[in-house]
């Protein structure tokens, strides 16, 4: 993540670029850190060595989260977590590439490997994936810690999390902790610097008797040369994110990288670091198939990543040094576009005359767009620290008029103003739409509206969390999740409005390109919002002209043309034009977009025979009473039964998930008479195993809250459970159903009535129950749960699958076929025909 190769470059030059900091600090002031939430999740699950192949050990992972955060607070740190908001459109090709590499390709390798080989620790380590519900478990653990401490806060970014984290750190004078090299490119206010998650060093103070006792004398203890050195664990030292167990009075040592130090190292202004990152290559310059072309045009193949960074840094320094010499004033850099153009021409390894017409201009435009992603709004206030946060009720960093978040929920509100004269119910709509905007913004800021849902409102896309599943079967994101998501799309379109579908979408949708033709006409005296710290360069901000283009990118929705199709038929007399959402799901062996038409909510309710639907005095579903919203929620999931409605809230999610998955698999089997579809259906023992897994709260297996200090052995708990392909596929269906149903509950604001309770789950427990064929699982279930789950689904289950027996009996005698190894041994003494005779073929 971040600038290509910059993390490696920082480690290779750590002594030059980094400074050592130790916590607790001797200063009396409280030290704050801003943690990149997703970097934290990836690093912690990797370092904890918890099993992933079973679907996730969320109970143990929650304990790890609490342990690390409490250890940070114990060394005097005030912790702020930041999670990404909706992804920008420019990052879509990078997201596709990551999913293909980290999920789809590894799933294909897993299922193309024998069961024996894929069960080895080495194979599981090399194909490791992050369980899809790790975010839920982490968020629950953070809320638990925050409920009992005032030194932890959780924030959700307006868009990309990196600029938000640095801007928050700049307001607080804090460090940013993560695993993204962009944090040494971004800069803002009093930003203290970047700390890598895997570069932490925990130390336990030595006991009084640990010393030699002769430190102040004239004698020195003689050590034999062959004496083994004590390991880091024996010395009370642990490197990494997780602190030593059962230790108090810990000390945390870190290395801090700052943008100022990096810019000084390359002898360029701090404000040009975004341009350096864009030229080297970052997450936003990887557009479709053009990324490799740019890299091959700038760098020779034999150059390492660190050498590429050095080449770009020296090129920028040479251009600026030449431009500042008075005797070469006619070659001075006149504008930022002139600087970028010169940099591109200087980096090209082949003559421009050999390139196609307009290719260099396209490269320059791509560099501009990639550099603009590092822009951060300049803070014009005087108050820093926690008191400088929350200038408005909707955002911790921005005022209402400058925050980008309200614009995502304002499409319907803006269109209602346009159609006010033609709509007799405009006054009622004007009161409902601001309520919806406030409702969803409040839910998002508090973590009750997932950032995944924000992609629908921002770019008209949706990214289901893909995980290990059979590549030969239909993707569960399509079969299990899409019918629920169609309701989600319809509800959001009716409530706040969705963006228009991009033109010409297909298998490889083009990423929007920003117009840079008029950049040179922008006011060059404007201040850029990339960095606010004064440097020693004594020169004007060379990237200032890009601010005008940045303002174009951040144009409020009210300045854009709004189609009349934003308002659905349920709240407008105008016939709607269909909207589409691009879902990025697995198609065969790759991730590809699929266009999903957004249905009208009114037609959905009518076609599904919802008894509470009324066209008169229409009220958007999220604004209806709690009982009405819950009725719609259960109706969508085909679970409007008395027995289910009477279940306690902690049992609702597992009942809904089971009913939905069993019903979908049953309908698929009815649509096709193939044997494969029939095999997909669930058995009653599998259903009982799932309910037992969801209600046992992970009691069956115990994992270490912290990993062993030495060795690479996985944290496998008390027993090793077989890895079965059928169990993996059932778990994939369950995980997708949990995510989709949880999203629906958040959109309808009933998530408190239907808690997901991921933090109590252990995927290995589910696999263990499945391996035992669900024996006695139903006997341990809460009263009434099984009946509520199976009501109306009697024919949806298939017969129990018989256990395969290797030996067959004829007339009561056991008949054993000769093994291949035995046959080969006999046939080896004779001819190949003798081998066939021995096998009785």
């Amino acid at each position: 993540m971040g600038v290509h190769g910059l993390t490696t470059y920082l480690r290779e030059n750590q002594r030059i670029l980094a400074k050592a900091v130790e916590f607790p600090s001797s200063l009396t002031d409280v030290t704050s850190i801003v943690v990149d939430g997703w970097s934290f999740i990836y690093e912690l699950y990797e370092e904890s060595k918890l099993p992933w192949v079973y679907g996730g050990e969320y109970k143990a992972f929650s304990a790890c989260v609490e342990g690390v955060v409490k250890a940070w607070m114990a060394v005097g740190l005030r912790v702020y977590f930041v999670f990404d908001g909706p992804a920008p459109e420019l990052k879509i090709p990078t997201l596709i590439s990551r999913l293909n590499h980290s999920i789809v390709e590894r799933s294909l390798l897993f299922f193309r490997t024998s069961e024996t080989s894929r069960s080895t620790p080495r194979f599981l380590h090399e194909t490791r994936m992050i369980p899809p519900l790790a975010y839920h478990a982490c968020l629950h653990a953070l809320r638990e810690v925050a409920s009992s401490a005032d030194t932890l806060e959780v924030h959700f970014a307006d868009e990309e999390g990196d600029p938000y984290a640095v801007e928050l750190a700049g307001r607080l004078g804090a460090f940013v902790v993560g695993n993204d090299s962009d944090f040494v490119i971004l800069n803002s206010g009093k930003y203290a610097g970047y700390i890598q998650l895997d570069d932490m060093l925990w130390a336990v103070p030595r006991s009084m008797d640990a010393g030699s006792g002769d430190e102040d004398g004239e004698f020195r203890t003689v050590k034999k040369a062959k004496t083994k050195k004590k390991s880091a664990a024996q010395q009370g030292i642990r490197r990494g994110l997780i602190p030593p167990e059962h230790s108090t009075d810990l000390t945390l040592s870190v290395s801090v990288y700052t943008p100022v130090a990096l810019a000084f190292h390359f002898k360029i202004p701090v404000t040009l670091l975004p341009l350096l990152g864009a030229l080297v290559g970052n997450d936003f310059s990887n557009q479709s198939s053009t990324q490799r072309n740019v890299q091959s045009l700038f760098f020779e193949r034999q150059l390492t990543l660190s050498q590429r960074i050095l080449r770009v840094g020296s090129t920028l320094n040479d251009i600026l040094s030449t431009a500042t010499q008075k005797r070469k004033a006619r070659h001075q850099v006149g504008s930022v576009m002139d600087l970028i153009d010169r940099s591109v021409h200087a980096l090209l390894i082949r003559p421009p005359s050999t390139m196609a017409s307009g290719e260099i201009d396209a490269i320059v435009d791509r560099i501009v767009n990639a550099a603009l992603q590092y822009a951060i709004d300049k803070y014009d206030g005087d108050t820093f620290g926690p008191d400088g946060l929350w200038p408005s009720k909707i955002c911790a960093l921005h005022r209402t008029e400058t925050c980008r978040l309200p614009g995502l929920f304002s499409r319907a509100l803006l269109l209602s103003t346009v159609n006010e004269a033609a709509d007799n119910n405009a006054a009622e709509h004007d009161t409902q739409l601001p309520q919806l905007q406030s409702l969803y913004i409040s839910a998002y800021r508090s973590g009750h509206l997932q950032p995944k849902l924000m992609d629908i409102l921002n770019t008209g896309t949706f990214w289901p969390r893909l995980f290990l599943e059979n590549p030969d079967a239909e993707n569960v994101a399509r079969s299990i999740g899409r019918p629920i998501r169609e309701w989600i799309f319809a509800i959001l379109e009716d409530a706040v409005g969705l963006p228009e579908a991009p033109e010409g979408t297909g298998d490889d949708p083009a990423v929007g390109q920003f117009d840079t033709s008029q950049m040179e006409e922008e006011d060059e005296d404007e201040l850029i919002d990339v960095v606010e710290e004064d440097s020693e360069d004594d020169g004007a901000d060379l990237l200032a002209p890009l601010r005008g283009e940045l303002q174009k990118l951040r144009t409020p929705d009210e300045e854009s043309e709004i189609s009349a199709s934003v308002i659905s038929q349920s709240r407008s007399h105008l016939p709607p034009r269909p909207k589409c959402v691009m879902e990025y799901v697995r198609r065969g062996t790759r991730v590809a977009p699929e266009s999903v038409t957004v249905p009208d909510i009114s037609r959905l309710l009518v076609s599904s025979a919802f008894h509470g639907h009324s066209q008169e005095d229409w009220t958007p579903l999220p604004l209806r009473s709690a009982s009405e919203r819950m009725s719609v929620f259960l109706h969508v999931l085909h679970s409007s039964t008395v027995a289910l409605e009477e279940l306690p809230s902690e049992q609702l999610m597992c009942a809904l998930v089971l009913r939905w998955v069993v019903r979908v698999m049953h309908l698929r089997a009815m649509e096709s008479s193939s044997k494969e579809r029939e095999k997909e259906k669930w058995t009653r023992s599998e259903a009982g195993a799932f309910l037992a897994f969801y209600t046992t709260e992970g009691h069956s297996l115990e994992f270490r809250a912290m990993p062993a200090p030495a060795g690479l052995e996985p944290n496998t708990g008390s027993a090793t459970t077989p890895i079965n392909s059928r169990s993996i596929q059932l778990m994939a269906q369950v995980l997708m159903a949990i995510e989709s149903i949880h999203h629906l509950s958040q959109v309808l604001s009933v998530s408190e009535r239907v808690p997901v309770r991921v933090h109590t789950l252990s995927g290995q427990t589910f696999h263990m129950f499945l391996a035992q064929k669900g024996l006695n699982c139903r006997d341990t279930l809460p009263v009434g749960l099984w009946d509520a789950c199976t009501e109306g689904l009697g024919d949806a289950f298939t017969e129990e699958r018989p256990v395969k027996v290797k030996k067959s009996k004829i007339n009561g005698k056991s008949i054993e076929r000769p093994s291949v190894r035995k046959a080969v041994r006999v046939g080896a003494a004779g001819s190949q025909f003798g081998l066939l005779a021995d096998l009785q073929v």
Side-chain angles (χ1 to χ4, degrees):
M1 295 185 292
V3 180
H4 301 164
L6 185 54
T7 298
T8 303
Y9 187 85
L10 294 177
R11 290 180 178 176
E12 293 175 352
N13 299 273
Q14 183 177 14
R15 292 186 177 181
I16 303 174
L17 298 175
K19 63 178 180 179
V21 178
E22 187 175 286
F23 306 110
S25 173
S26 58
L27 301 177
T28 57
D29 296 338
V30 176
T31 304
S32 299
I33 59 172
V34 177
V35 183
D36 178 11
W38 273 107
S39 292
F40 176 82
I41 291 175
Y42 275 84
E43 182 67 23
L44 182 57
Y45 208 98
E46 173 73 20
E47 193 171 329
S48 66
K49 296 183 176 63
L50 290 170
W52 64 270
V53 70
Y54 303 109
E57 303 304 320
Y58 302 109
K59 182 181 180 181
F61 181 64
S62 297
C64 288
V65 173
E66 292 189 20
V68 173
V69 174
K70 288 180 179 179
W72 280 342
M73 294 189 296
V75 296
L77 296 177
R78 184 179 182 90
V79 185
Y80 297 81
F81 269 81
V82 172
F83 289 96
D84 289 320
E89 186 178 16
L90 207 61
K91 200 173 181 177
I92 288 179
T94 298
L95 296 177
I96 295 175
S97 176
R98 287 179 183 174
L99 287 174
N100 281 325
H101 174 70
S102 63
I103 303 296
V104 178
E105 293 177 4
R106 295 183 181 184
S107 294
L108 184 64
L109 177 62
F110 184 92
F111 277 90
R112 296 296 184 264
T113 305
S114 66
E115 292 188 4
T116 302
S117 299
R118 71 190 188 190
S119 300
T120 60
R122 180 177 179 178
F123 182 88
L124 292 175
H125 176 73
E126 293 175 350
T127 57
R128 193 173 185 85
M129 307 177 193
I130 294 298
L133 302 181
Y135 168 82
H136 298 267
C138 178
L139 190 58
H140 178 272
L142 294 177
R143 286 171 176 163
E144 287 294 311
V145 177
S147 64
S148 58
D150 58 355
T151 55
L152 172 64
E153 294 183 14
V154 182
H155 293 255
F156 300 88
D158 303 338
E159 195 177 65
E160 184 75 6
D162 296 354
Y164 188 96
V166 173
E167 187 174 1
L168 178 61
R171 195 77 57 89
L172 297 169
F175 301 95
V176 169
V177 180
N179 276 341
D180 195 327
S181 58
D182 281 339
F183 291 127
V184 79
I185 300 293
L186 293 158
N187 200 7
S188 176
K190 297 184 177 182
Y191 176 38
Y194 163 51
I195 300 173
Q196 292 182 341
L197 280 168
D198 56 355
D199 199 26
M200 293 182 170
L201 187 66
W202 295 93
V204 179
R206 293 184 178 180
S207 59
M208 296 299 294
D209 57 346
S212 62
D214 295 324
E215 295 178 357
D216 54 350
E218 298 180 358
F219 299 97
R220 184 175 301 174
T221 303
V222 178
K223 297 181 180 180
K224 296 182 180 180
K226 295 183 179 180
T227 302
K228 295 183 179 179
K229 295 182 179 180
K230 291 184 178 181
S231 65
Q234 292 174 336
Q235 296 176 0
I237 298 174
R238 177 176 176 82
R239 180 175 295 277
L241 179 60
I242 301 178
E245 276 193 287
H246 312 301
S247 300
T248 57
D249 298 329
L250 291 172
T251 316
L252 176 61
S253 301
V254 297
S255 298
V256 178
Y257 302 89
T258 63
V260 174
L262 184 64
F264 180 79
H265 175 69
F266 289 120
K267 296 181 175 57
I268 61 175
V270 180
T271 52
L272 284 187
L273 287 179
L275 180 56
L276 181 141
L279 290 170
V280 174
N282 57 19
D283 293 343
F284 305 99
S285 59
N286 182 17
Q287 300 183 25
S288 188
S289 61
T290 58
Q291 173 63 22
R292 290 185 179 180
N293 296 334
V294 172
Q295 298 301 317
S296 62
L297 292 174
F298 282 173
F299 309 111
E300 299 285 355
R301 290 185 177 182
Q302 65 271 20
L303 290 181
T304 64
L305 294 176
S306 297
Q307 290 173 337
R308 294 182 178 187
I309 294 174
L310 278 174
R311 184 167 187 266
V312 173
S314 61
T315 299
L316 291 175
N317 176 260
D318 293 342
I319 294 175
L320 294 176
S321 299
T322 303
T324 54
Q325 296 178 10
K326 294 184 178 180
R327 66 176 181 269
K328 297 182 180 180
R330 59 194 180 97
H331 296 297
Q332 288 184 356
V333 178
S335 66
V336 64
M337 292 304 299
D338 187 17
L339 173 62
I340 297 176
D341 187 71
R342 291 192 186 188
S343 301
V344 169
H345 279 81
L347 290 172
L348 289 175
I349 59 177
R350 65 176 186 174
S353 59
T354 62
M355 303 180 65
S357 176
E359 187 173 357
I360 293 182
D361 292 338
I363 294 174
V364 171
D365 292 346
R366 197 174 308 124
I367 298 301
V368 170
N369 292 329
L372 284 175
Q373 303 306 311
Y374 293 107
I376 296 178
D377 292 333
K378 182 178 177 64
Y379 177 53
D380 54 2
D382 299 326
T383 305
F384 290 88
D387 295 337
L389 302 181
W390 296 104
S392 63
K393 295 181 179 180
I394 65 171
C395 187
L397 298 176
H398 312 118
R399 298 187 180 92
T400 304
E401 59 272 13
T402 59
C403 181
R404 304 187 63 189
L405 191 62
L408 301 180
F409 301 99
S410 300
R411 291 182 177 87
L413 179 62
L414 295 172
L415 186 58
S416 67
T417 304
V418 175
N419 295 333
E420 183 175 358
D423 194 349
N424 296 329
N425 298 323
E428 183 178 358
H429 291 160
D430 288 345
T431 59
Q432 292 177 349
L433 297 178
Q435 293 177 21
L436 288 165
Q437 184 188 62
S438 176
L439 174 69
Y440 280 138
I441 290 178
S442 176
Y444 176 70
R445 291 301 189 195
S446 61
H448 292 95
L449 189 68
Q450 279 207 34
K452 284 285 183 183
L453 296 171
M454 301 296 291
D455 287 322
I456 305 172
L457 302 173
N458 184 41
T459 57
T461 62
F462 188 81
W463 304 78
R465 296 201 189 279
L466 305 181
F467 191 59
L468 182 65
E469 63 172 332
N470 186 358
D472 298 324
E474 185 179 7
N475 182 220
V476 294
R478 185 188 298 109
S479 60
I480 300 293
R482 181 167 293 173
I484 299 177
R485 290 196 298 271
E486 288 180 345
W487 280 89
I488 294 175
F489 300 157
I491 294 171
L492 289 176
E493 162 65 7
D494 176 66
V496 295
L498 301 183
E500 294 289 346
E503 297 181 0
T505 55
D507 288 351
D508 295 307
V511 179
Q513 300 290 333
F514 305 116
D515 184 14
T516 58
S517 59
Q518 299 180 354
M519 277 191 182
E520 297 180 353
E521 300 178 6
E522 299 295 334
D523 185 5
E524 297 183 8
D525 294 329
E526 291 187 79
L527 295 177
I528 190 170
D529 50 0
V530 174
V531 62
E532 292 80 282
E533 182 176 342
D534 295 332
S535 63
E536 301 176 359
D537 301 305
D538 297 330
D541 192 343
L542 297 176
L543 291 182
L546 292 182
R547 179 173 175 82
E549 185 64 20
L550 177 64
Q551 295 298 330
K552 293 180 183 179
L553 297 180
R554 296 189 174 183
T555 300
D557 290 343
E558 57 264 28
E559 296 180 9
S560 60
E561 296 183 1
I562 304 176
S563 171
S565 63
V566 174
I567 295 183
S568 67
Q569 188 175 5
S570 55
R571 50 183 165 80
S572 173
H573 65 282
L574 298 174
R577 193 178 69 185
K579 296 281 190 68
C580 292
V581 174
M582 298 299 298
E583 289 189 347
Y584 287 85
V585 298
R586 179 183 61 81
R587 185 188 299 171
T589 58
R590 66 187 179 96
V591 172
E594 293 185 358
S595 180
V596 179
T597 302
V598 179
D600 182 77
I601 187 62
S602 180
R603 295 178 181 176
L604 266 182
L605 292 172
V606 171
S607 61
S608 61
F610 179 63
H611 59 83
H613 173 66
S614 175
Q615 191 68 27
E616 298 179 359
D617 299 329
W618 173 263
T619 300
L621 297 180
L623 293 181
R624 298 190 183 186
S625 65
S627 59
E628 287 184 279
R629 285 183 275 117
M630 194 64 190
S631 297
V632 174
F633 176 72
L634 297 177
H635 175 77
V636 171
L637 301 175
H638 300 274
S639 296
S640 299
T641 64
V642 176
L644 192 136
E645 293 176 357
E646 294 177 349
L647 289 177
S649 59
E650 61 269 14
Q651 298 176 17
L652 268 178
M653 179 59 75
C654 67
L656 292 171
V657 168
L658 179 61
R659 289 181 59 86
W660 180 259
V661 172
V662 170
R663 180 180 179 275
V664 169
M665 293 297 105
H666 174 59
L667 293 178
R668 284 170 53 83
M670 292 181 62
E671 292 173 358
S672 174
S673 58
S674 66
K675 294 182 179 179
E676 294 299 324
R677 289 287 182 91
E678 187 66 26
K679 292 180 181 179
E680 291 180 350
K681 295 174 63 175
W682 282 53
T683 65
R684 293 181 180 272
S685 64
E686 291 170 343
F690 168 74
L691 294 179
F693 142 75
Y694 213 102
T695 56
T696 54
E697 299 189 359
H699 293 325
S700 299
L701 295 174
E702 294 296 334
F703 294 90
R704 296 184 299 269
M706 301 296 175
L712 296 176
E713 293 300 323
N715 195 345
T716 56
S718 59
T720 301
T721 305
I723 303 174
N724 180 269
S725 297
R726 168 72 179 178
S727 301
I728 290 175
Q729 193 63 19
L730 294 181
M731 191 60 171
Q733 298 171 7
V734 165
L735 293 173
M736 181 54 60
I738 291 175
E739 181 192 52
S740 302
I741 294 175
H742 185 55
H743 286 167
L744 179 63
S745 70
Q746 290 186 325
V747 170
L748 287 172
S749 300
V750 295
S751 56
E752 293 185 0
R753 175 71 175 89
V754 194
V756 66
R757 295 177 57 81
V758 168
H759 62 282
T760 66
L761 303 182
S762 165
Q764 191 167 345
T765 303
F766 182 41
H767 281 249
M768 183 183 67
F769 287 156
L770 289 174
Q772 297 172 354
K773 299 298 180 182
L775 295 177
N776 302 323
C777 286
R778 290 170 57 179
D779 298 337
T780 62
L781 298 180
V783 178
L785 179 58
W786 177 260
D787 294 335
C789 292
T790 57
E791 183 178 353
L793 296 176
D795 298 334
F797 294 99
T798 188
E799 298 295 331
E800 298 294 334
R801 295 174 176 82
V803 180
K804 295 182 179 180
V805 180
K806 295 182 179 180
K807 297 181 179 180
S808 59
K809 292 185 178 181
I810 301 178
N811 298 326
K813 296 183 179 181
S814 177
I815 304 299
E816 183 179 358
R817 293 180 179 271
S819 63
V820 175
R821 181 178 301 177
K822 188 181 299 183
V824 170
R825 203 167 43 240
V826 174
S831 64
Q832 296 180 355
F833 298 98
L835 172 64
L836 296 177
D838 292 335
L839 292 175
Q840 298 179 1
V841 176

